[in-house]
Amino acid sequence: MPSIAGSKSSPLASNAVTVAKSGEIRSGGDATPRKRRLRSNSADDDGPIAPTPSPGPISPTKWKSPRRCANGSPNLIDKSRELLLKKLSNSFFDKPNWNPRDMKQVSAVKEALHVSTAPYTVVCREDEQKRVLEFCKGCVELEKAGSLYVCGCPGTGKSLSMERVKESLVEWAEEAGFQAPDVLAINCTSLSKTSEIFSKILGEDQPRKKTKSSTSPLQHLQNLYSQKQQSTSVKMMLIIADELDYLITKDRAVLHDLFMLTTYPFSRCILIGIANAIDLADRFLPRLQSLNCKPMVVTFRAYSKDQMIMILQKRLMALPYTVFQLQALELCARKVAAASGDMRKALCICRSAIEMLETELRESERNLDFSSAEFGHSDQQSTPACDLIKQDIYIVRVEHMAIALSKTYRSPIVDTIQSLPQHQQIILCSAVKLFHGGKKDATIGELSKSYLDICKLLLIPPLGIMELSNMCRVLGDQGLLKLGQAREDKLRRVTLKVDEADIAFALQGVRVFRNCLHAG
Amino acid sequence: MGRENLAGEALILLRSRLCNPKFVFSPFSDSADSNYSKLKFILSSSVTEACNNSVLLLGPRGCGKNAVLELVIEDLLKEYPDMISVIKLNGLLHSDDNCAVKEIARQLCVEHQLLFSKMVSFDDNTQFMIGMLRECGLAHKTVMFVLDEFDLFAQGKQRLLYCLLDAMQSVTSQAVVIGVSCRLDADQLLEKRVRSRFSHRKLLFLPPSKEDLQRLIKHILVLPTDSSLPHDYVVEFNAKLLNILAKERFKQIIDTLSNSDSTCSNLLRFLFSAVCHMDLKSGFLLIENFKAALSSIQRQPKLEGLKDCSILELYMLVCMWRLEVREQDSYNFNSVMKEYRSIHDSFQTSDYYARNVCLRAFEHLLERELISFMDHRGHNQSTEFRPAKLLISYHELYQGLKSYRSCPAILQKLIDRER
């Protein structure tokens, strides 16, 4: 195995290099997955380190033409990340399997995968953290104010990275001899009024009654920052405002004033705003551009599949046993990265897969109890062998991950439509037929006519208009229909909220509905 | 005499069973993949492993979501006393953030015997809640938030949901959020920030299938052999009951009931009504009890109104219906009279009455709300000139005429022909 380039050495690499490649604890069947992994990794890699893969045993889909990874980072980092992955996967294989019956192990694994256990180093976000840290360092050195806007989808590690930046900045300032800045980290959802943020910056508690003083906290701050300070050693203040879009009011005044605070000549605050919208700065802070002090924007892009695998493996690295089959992690990362790139979801799905394994264990134990009760003595000799076999298969496999993924991403609509009582299904069918020709909504009276037609077709006695509007209300409660308001029951407007294809799919098992939907 | 007492006792036993959700949903808790066991597994693992979790219970109304949740919480409170505290919020009452936080603080105060003041501000309440969560986390006590009508919490800015779910992301707190909703797309209503923090666990509660319905009925109605009732009475009761349950007619009744509404609560209402119809003298359930219960649940008020009509009023209704069939959108009493006369001319019926008698019949129909005026503006006009419309449908009219005690053949023929 080629050694990793020196600059990128991390504690993980030193751990991995010392592990001998040849030590195989598990059966020979695992050698092929590792080889397959190397080939598929190198297929993505376009560096010279990758050996030329032969098209023999690999499935055609894995052999891709060498191309850049989707996140478009430079080649060198790509390569080293691939190598890091290979190192991790190597060390992954040489640990013993875990014992899911041991409660302590189970809770340790679940804790390692919980969203609230924040790792000490934030992997895959080094660039963004470095940029933010450099910006803050520059501000502290020059004793200048500045503003920064961090944006990205939920679950991409923004708040976590800002926590690390905060700690690193304080450490660096103390080391480098500068005055460590005051830090104020607030979540804007906890403010009952948006203008409270200024009083929080000033450091006062919110008074119950109106302040006696004539200046509002905002004016106070503005005055403070417009005059030269008497003492030269006033500390800088680092303000981290999470969920910044809660400060957006109709006239956008509060957000504007907050960012304008950094433009005053003697301002001492470094403002970092975190939100989800990429164009918040453009849309809501146009005046800042004219003043030429638009905040610097750092985008946290959604995690790619490789990044997710790396993060998951890093979390599992600390455990002394293997919990997941590598393909299972890969499947999870692939699916979640394709859907949203949200790390929380990936962690949640991994924990869900562990629970699938636990339920499978309990089922098999119960079955084993039954079968051993039936067969009695003869099973005694075979139990040690059975146990050995069982140990091998009790890691989280691809099947468990697939079930966990389908549970998360499946909508309950199809199941619910299939279990609705017959007349409610007929109502949905009649709505589909009514809205076939591009009509978007209809009244309950028109729906009832369509319903009566279908009942005649199916030779089922129809229900009266009162029961029909009751059933429409029940369907509206469940979110399948949308009912409007009107003076009379018959005039209420009805819209379908479910896709027609979903209804057709759900009811395809019943022949009469299928014919009816196709004929219409 | 003794039989009546026995029957009364059996009735009390059956009624108390039907009103006890614990008894009703207990057969569902046996299998490993029932919602009860899944929910119990999720909640108990969160309590024992001290990790935060969130789960959403979805399903149509009356399928037992709250009942199963109550069962699970009761069991957990017995298994882990002093390790769980439950906070219940309802979306109909507490969807406003201020109200919700105040209610959370009040329930926490009651639980831990602290003094609650109504004058505390929103900020202080939030700080109190976060502080309590931290304290409970340190003391290894799990706080369970039960949010009923979860979709109503997802209106507006969703600050409460964000606050609760964000508190669960920190290591210090130990909480479980359980949302109960009848909207299937409740998690699509959440903002993307809130949805990202929610753990996507969903348990779907579906109405029971036909086999499950049969099992449930048997489970509820079969009297236990070890109760205080005499053994032979119980045996005879059960034998007769099982006989009824196997009949085809009974299956038809259940099908008619579940074709419009197959939820558990509807079935329980039906069984309660059937049991109340039990004849105390004989002391056994008969199939007529179930039929009576069905008709009392699926009432047709318009048909009952038709039963009391006179023959002339029926003629009026049929004439109005014929006018409607002929696409005559607005008609008044005069047009109805014309139609009535034309029927008499073509069929030479014996029921031909004078104009003022017919007007009287028309007014009777108006009072009984089988017909009404098109709009309520023309109070100055007399009854004869205001446009009117039918309030019953064709099927109801047809069924009413069929079941009428002495309906003239002419009317039946008129209705039949136009079908």
Side-chain angles (χ1 to χ4, degrees):
Chain A
M1 281 301 294
S3 57
I4 293 186
S7 60
K8 269 287 182 180
S9 64
S10 51
L12 316 159
S14 51
N15 199 6
V17 168
T18 51
V19 169
K21 196 175 59 159
S22 52
E24 294 291 343
I25 303 179
R26 292 151 98 225
S27 55
D30 293 321
T32 22
R34 190 162 47 149
K35 271 195 229 135
R36 223 186 285 140
R37 171 130 204 98
L38 288 176
R39 285 197 186 115
S40 64
N41 272 345
S42 55
D44 278 345
D45 196 353
D46 51 357
I49 300 178
T52 332
S54 59
I58 325 169
S59 54
T61 49
K62 287 216 163 112
W63 170 225
K64 289 177 266 204
S65 57
R67 56 181 174 83
R68 284 180 175 274
C69 282
N71 49 10
S73 34
N75 202 3
L76 185 62
I77 301 180
D78 226 11
K79 246 187 291 173
S80 14
R81 188 176 289 142
E82 292 302 334
L83 291 168
L84 204 59
L85 261 177
K86 285 182 213 166
K87 287 293 173 206
L88 288 172
S89 54
N90 274 345
S91 59
F92 207 63
F93 272 109
D94 297 331
K95 292 194 280 204
N97 283 348
W98 71 319
N99 179 10
R101 291 199 186 88
D102 184 0
M103 275 297 112
K104 273 204 291 232
Q105 287 189 11
V106 169
S107 47
V109 170
K110 284 197 180 168
E111 203 180 307
L113 286 177
H114 200 268
V115 185
S116 56
T117 34
Y120 184 66
T121 46
V122 183
V123 206
C124 302
R125 288 297 178 209
E126 293 93 356
D127 301 333
E128 290 90 349
Q129 272 184 291
K130 204 157 55 150
R131 277 176 74 189
V132 177
L133 196 59
E134 294 299 326
F135 174 82
C136 294
K137 280 185 194 170
C139 285
V140 170
E141 274 176 17
L142 302 171
E143 294 204 346
K144 212 168 61 84
S147 59
L148 183 77
Y149 175 60
V150 173
C151 60
C153 290
T156 42
K158 302 184 294 290
S159 305
L160 202 61
S161 309
M162 291 306 114
E163 286 282 318
R164 296 288 163 259
V165 162
K166 191 171 71 171
E167 289 166 9
S168 324
L169 187 68
V170 170
E171 272 175 23
W172 168 84
E174 276 164 9
E175 278 173 20
F178 293 106
Q179 261 198 327
D182 284 328
V183 178
L184 171 70
I186 39 174
N187 195 318
C188 300
T189 52
S190 60
L191 304 168
S192 48
K193 258 184 1 144
T194 46
S195 43
E196 272 181 24
I197 188 167
F198 299 117
S199 41
K200 285 229 157 85
I201 296 178
L202 267 181
E204 295 166 356
D205 288 312
Q206 172 75 3
R208 298 261 171 81
K209 316 185 209 40
K210 275 206 159 116
T211 51
K212 290 274 171 66
S213 65
S214 53
T215 54
S216 70
L218 172 62
Q219 284 171 332
H220 199 104
L221 279 170
Q222 286 172 340
N223 292 341
L224 202 64
Y225 291 150
S226 322
Q227 309 153 356
K228 184 149 173 64
Q229 305 301 325
Q230 298 310 94
S231 55
T232 46
S233 60
V234 177
K235 292 210 253 188
M236 302 286 291
M237 177 174 244
L238 177 66
I239 305 170
I240 303 183
D242 219 341
E243 315 291 356
L244 201 62
D245 40 337
Y246 273 93
L247 288 182
I248 297 177
T249 49
K250 235 186 185 152
D251 56 354
R252 306 168 193 167
V254 175
L255 196 62
H256 223 104
D257 291 331
L258 185 64
F259 275 89
M260 290 287 274
L261 276 180
T262 57
T263 62
Y264 286 104
F266 297 104
S267 173
R268 321 239 355 132
C269 53
I270 311 171
L271 177 65
I272 300 183
I274 308 181
N276 294 129
I278 293 185
D279 56 353
L280 196 89
D282 297 327
R283 264 192 302 153
F284 293 106
L285 306 169
R287 259 189 282 161
L288 289 182
Q289 186 152 23
S290 56
L291 285 170
N292 209 14
C293 32
K294 227 173 88 144
M296 181 168 112
V297 178
V298 176
T299 314
F300 275 60
R301 267 185 290 223
Y303 286 117
S304 72
K305 170 190 90 123
D306 296 321
Q307 289 176 322
M308 284 193 154
I309 297 183
M310 197 144 63
I311 295 175
L312 285 170
Q313 286 186 334
K314 169 121 193 288
R315 280 194 178 222
L316 296 169
M317 180 70 69
L319 302 165
Y321 32 76
T322 328
V323 184
F324 286 89
Q325 211 182 25
L326 206 60
Q327 284 94 326
L329 280 184
E330 202 183 318
L331 176 68
C332 172
R334 207 187 282 271
K335 267 277 168 81
V336 181
S340 54
D342 186 345
M343 199 60 219
R344 290 189 186 110
K345 211 160 188 181
L347 290 170
C348 190
I349 291 177
C350 288
R351 289 174 63 209
S352 203
I354 295 182
E355 280 167 20
M356 299 291 130
L357 178 67
E358 285 185 299
T359 37
E360 189 189 311
L361 250 184
R362 279 184 310 168
E363 281 289 325
S364 67
E365 259 172 26
R366 218 166 29 157
N367 291 342
L368 201 63
D369 283 338
F370 289 154
S371 61
S372 64
E374 283 176 24
F375 294 122
H377 273 293
S378 56
D379 245 10
Q380 292 296 346
Q381 298 116 340
S382 45
T383 30
C386 288
D387 269 344
L388 250 175
I389 301 173
K390 273 194 231 111
Q391 283 285 32
D392 210 23
I393 58 175
Y394 282 146
I395 54 169
V396 181
R397 299 189 305 279
V398 179
E399 297 95 65
H400 302 122
M401 196 60 84
I403 298 177
L405 278 167
S406 74
K407 269 199 171 167
T408 311
Y409 283 111
R410 186 181 60 184
S411 96
I413 287 186
V414 170
D415 283 329
T416 317
I417 295 183
Q418 281 174 340
S419 68
L420 283 177
Q422 196 184 38
H423 282 280
Q424 294 184 11
Q425 286 174 337
I426 300 180
I427 292 180
L428 284 179
C429 270
S430 50
V432 166
K433 277 195 109 158
L434 202 58
F435 298 138
H436 225 39
K439 238 168 78 141
K440 281 299 156 194
D441 61 353
T443 59
I444 289 196
E446 289 161 25
L447 188 68
S448 79
K449 279 201 199 93
S450 176
Y451 166 77
L452 290 170
D453 288 335
I454 296 193
C455 280
K456 216 184 294 187
L457 220 89
L458 302 175
L459 302 173
I460 297 176
L463 297 174
I465 182 80
M466 248 180 46
E467 301 237 0
L468 181 75
S469 58
N470 267 346
M471 288 197 288
C472 287
R473 192 180 42 81
V474 169
L475 287 172
D477 262 350
Q478 291 187 268
L480 297 169
L481 291 181
K482 185 160 134 130
L483 290 181
Q485 298 291 335
R487 259 180 315 148
E488 257 202 54
D489 227 8
K490 262 194 184 167
L491 297 175
R492 289 168 83 177
R493 302 209 74 89
V494 175
T495 332
L496 252 188
K497 278 187 85 173
V498 183
D499 209 18
E500 288 182 13
D502 281 338
I503 300 181
F505 177 73
L507 295 176
Q508 64 182 358
V510 186
R511 192 174 45 87
V512 282
F513 287 133
R514 203 172 47 217
N515 297 342
C516 160
L517 283 170
H518 278 297
Chain B
M1 216 32 172
R3 185 44 71 86
E4 276 191 15
N5 283 345
L6 285 179
E9 260 188 64
L11 193 60
I12 292 176
L13 178 75
L14 289 176
R15 283 203 284 223
S16 58
R17 274 184 177 184
L18 283 166
C19 295
N20 183 6
K22 193 165 176 190
F23 184 82
V24 170
F25 286 100
S26 49
F28 292 143
S29 56
D30 291 339
S31 58
D33 61 345
S34 71
N35 281 328
Y36 170 84
S37 350
K38 282 188 209 163
L39 187 62
K40 184 142 186 228
F41 178 66
I42 293 176
L43 292 183
S44 57
S45 57
S46 315
V47 172
T48 48
E49 290 160 17
C51 58
N52 299 326
N53 229 333
S54 49
V55 68
L56 197 55
L57 306 179
L58 300 176
R61 285 194 201 277
C63 282
K65 303 186 290 289
N66 269 319
V68 170
L69 182 64
E70 290 293 318
L71 278 182
V72 172
I73 290 184
E74 218 182 286
D75 285 343
L76 286 178
L77 282 174
K78 263 189 264 183
E79 255 178 84
Y80 306 107
D82 288 337
M83 273 179 72
I84 304 179
S85 66
V86 182
I87 309 273
K88 295 207 173 128
L89 295 175
N90 193 310
L92 290 167
L93 301 169
H94 307 127
S95 58
D96 178 36
D97 295 323
N98 285 333
C99 279
V101 169
K102 200 186 264 202
E103 181 64 23
I104 293 177
R106 189 188 68 82
Q107 289 192 20
L108 280 171
C109 285
V110 166
E111 183 95 17
H112 299 271
Q113 278 123 22
L114 301 167
L115 226 54
F116 173 71
S117 154
K118 281 192 217 164
M119 292 297 141
V120 178
S121 75
F122 174 77
D123 263 346
D124 290 343
N125 273 333
T126 334
Q127 294 301 324
F128 173 67
M129 178 176 89
I130 296 178
M132 280 301 281
L133 278 175
R134 205 174 320 140
E135 286 300 319
C136 286
L138 288 173
H140 293 293
K141 197 165 179 176
T142 313
V143 182
M144 285 197 191
F145 289 95
V146 176
L147 300 173
D148 235 338
E149 314 288 345
F150 186 75
D151 43 306
L152 294 175
F153 280 107
Q155 291 169 348
K157 276 197 164 183
Q158 306 182 3
R159 274 170 57 163
L160 176 71
L161 286 178
Y162 181 85
C163 202
L164 281 180
L165 291 171
D166 203 34
M168 290 188 355
Q169 307 267 292
S170 65
V171 197
T172 49
S173 58
Q174 214 169 305
V176 182
V177 172
I178 306 164
V180 180
S181 174
C182 65
R183 272 191 78 153
L184 300 171
D185 55 347
D187 59 335
Q188 306 298 324
L189 295 171
L190 298 173
E191 248 191 350
K192 56 181 186 317
R193 281 185 278 237
V194 181
R195 201 181 327 154
S196 160
R197 287 169 166 79
F198 193 79
S199 87
H200 298 99
R201 264 174 242 259
K202 291 193 277 248
L203 285 179
L204 189 57
F205 283 76
L206 294 173
S209 62
K210 293 238 159 61
E211 297 82 30
D212 283 337
L213 275 178
Q214 285 282 93
R215 261 198 323 145
L216 191 60
I217 295 176
K218 230 179 267 187
H219 169 74
I220 294 178
L221 292 182
V222 168
L223 288 177
T225 43
D226 53 353
S227 68
S228 57
L229 299 165
H231 186 76
D232 31 353
Y233 170 69
V234 167
V235 165
E236 210 186 332
F237 184 94
N238 290 345
K240 287 211 168 145
L241 179 69
L242 292 174
N243 199 9
I244 294 177
L245 293 185
K247 278 198 198 144
E248 190 56 40
R249 184 81 186 89
F250 181 79
K251 293 207 176 69
Q252 273 180 8
I253 294 178
I254 297 293
D255 279 347
T256 323
L257 183 72
S258 59
N259 270 345
S260 60
D261 188 354
S262 56
T263 55
C264 281
S265 55
N266 196 30
L267 179 72
L268 291 178
R269 241 176 289 149
F270 166 74
L271 289 177
F272 195 90
S273 176
V275 160
C276 290
H277 275 104
M278 183 167 91
D279 182 19
L280 287 175
K281 281 211 204 55
S282 68
F284 299 116
L285 279 173
L286 304 164
I287 201 160
E288 281 73 28
N289 300 137
F290 293 100
K291 276 194 221 167
L294 183 68
S295 56
S296 75
I297 285 196
Q298 291 191 341
R299 287 182 56 223
Q300 309 262 33
K302 300 289 184 192
L303 281 186
E304 288 167 16
L306 272 180
K307 252 191 281 186
D308 300 328
C309 282
S310 66
I311 307 270
L312 178 58
E313 284 154 15
L314 289 180
Y315 264 100
M316 302 264 94
L317 287 173
V318 172
C319 294
M320 290 178 80
W321 175 74
R322 279 165 65 96
L323 286 174
E324 279 197 2
V325 162
R326 257 183 258 145
E327 308 284 329
Q328 211 164 321
D329 282 326
S330 88
Y331 48 87
N332 56 17
F333 174 71
N334 290 332
S335 358
V336 176
M337 277 309 291
K338 231 187 285 180
E339 179 69 24
Y340 181 57
R341 206 170 295 131
S342 77
I343 290 183
H344 173 74
D345 290 336
S346 47
F347 290 104
Q348 297 298 319
T349 57
S350 56
D351 304 302
Y352 189 61
Y353 295 95
R355 190 187 169 86
N356 50 353
V357 183
C358 295
L359 187 57
R360 204 55 184 285
F362 195 76
E363 281 166 7
H364 278 167
L365 286 175
L366 279 171
E367 275 167 25
R368 222 176 277 126
E369 297 226 343
L370 288 167
I371 62 175
S372 81
F373 292 123
M374 283 282 214
D375 53 44
H376 299 274
R377 277 180 291 161
H379 283 290
N380 299 329
Q381 295 177 315
S382 72
T383 327
E384 304 169 351
F385 298 105
R386 288 172 70 181
K389 63 177 178 187
L390 266 180
L391 284 181
I392 58 176
S393 68
Y394 165 71
H395 286 276
E396 286 164 332
L397 188 58
Y398 182 73
Q399 233 174 315
L401 287 177
K402 216 160 64 154
S403 59
Y404 196 76
R405 48 185 189 277
S406 49
C407 182
I410 298 288
L411 286 179
Q412 296 271 21
K413 214 185 339 172
L414 284 172
I415 284 276
D416 263 338
R417 202 197 307 173
E418 301 279 345
R419 220 218 238 186

